[in-house]
Amino acid sequence: EPVFGNIGTTKRLNRFGLRGKKKVQGQWQLYCLIHNIEKLANYGRLGT
């Protein structure tokens, strides 16, 4: 579960700032999207 650790500590998502299931789901998806974009951006740097 490194993904949850990364989102929790690095991005400082300790609790959701919105109310409602749809809003929380949207916020979670946004954090996951950012995590995946960072993985793609750093993917080419591993070999160098």
Side-chain angles (χ1 to χ4, degrees):
E1 290 125 23
V3 175
F4 299 114
N6 184 6
I7 291 174
T9 57
T10 308
K11 296 178 181 55
R12 297 181 182 168
L13 179 66
N14 297 328
R15 53 179 91 155
F16 294 101
L18 303 171
R19 290 186 173 194
K21 190 174 182 178
K22 287 186 179 184
K23 291 180 184 177
V24 169
Q25 185 178 9
Q27 187 178 1
W28 175 252
Q29 288 176 347
L30 193 63
Y31 273 94
C32 291
L33 179 70
I34 291 169
H35 175 78
N36 288 329
I37 288 172
E38 286 177 348
K39 281 177 66 173
L40 289 172
N42 294 328
Y43 181 71
R45 296 184 198 167
L46 295 176
T48 52

